[in-house]
Amino acid sequence: MNGAVQKLIFKSGLPPGDLIMLTAAVRDLHRIYPDRFLTDVRTLYPEIWTNNPYLTPLNEADPDCQIIEFVYPLIDICNDSPVHYLEGFLEYLRIKLDIPLKVTQFKGDIHLSELERSA
């Protein structure tokens, strides 16, 4: 990849628990490669992404946007291999983007508003 910022739109029809794992993958992508990617998401549960500082509104019609439909094939072997469920989306991103990635924290990445934190 050249020095240009890459635009990514992540799509997923998965349930909320799986999307929490996707929030961690988005966080880790941006922590490891700050300023290299602009990301946006399309999921059935947009409230999971509210206040997420790693997201930038992107247009699917933009020819510079790469759309990635998320699956995580690593889940098929997680019962038989020493991998954590959280690593599934990162493994998929490693393959799709051809870049090294690793988990930076073993937790999802939900961002509460000031009001939610004060309640």
Side-chain angles (χ1 to χ4, degrees):
M1 182 175 137
N2 61 26
V5 173
Q6 190 171 353
K7 297 175 186 177
L8 305 171
I9 296 176
F10 300 150
K11 288 186 168 186
S12 177
L14 294 169
D18 294 332
L19 295 178
I20 300 301
M21 300 300 104
L22 182 54
T23 66
V26 170
R27 174 201 62 221
D28 293 342
L29 176 69
H30 285 279
R31 281 185 176 173
I32 295 167
Y33 298 99
D35 304 318
R36 184 166 165 186
F37 297 97
L38 294 177
T39 56
D40 200 0
V41 295
R42 306 290 188 273
T43 69
L44 299 175
Y45 303 93
E47 56 277 357
I48 288 173
W49 303 96
T50 304
N51 302 310
N52 190 306
Y54 300 115
L55 298 185
T56 300
L58 297 172
N59 185 338
E60 288 184 51
D62 180 346
D64 293 329
C65 280
Q66 178 181 358
I67 297 173
I68 298 175
E69 183 74 38
F70 261 90
V71 296
Y72 50 111
L74 193 69
I75 198 73
D76 295 333
I77 63 165
C78 71
N79 285 335
D80 301 314
S81 299
V83 294
H84 190 278
Y85 172 52
L86 189 74
E87 296 173 277
F89 288 126
L90 275 178
E91 174 68 14
Y92 188 68
L93 270 181
R94 275 193 286 264
I95 293 165
K96 294 297 274 184
L97 300 175
D98 194 26
I99 57 173
L101 283 169
K102 64 180 178 170
V103 174
T104 65
Q105 285 185 295
F106 277 97
K107 63 179 187 174
D109 196 59
I110 302 299
H111 296 268
L112 302 177
S113 69
E114 289 293 326
L115 180 61
E116 290 167 322
R117 281 193 295 258
S118 68

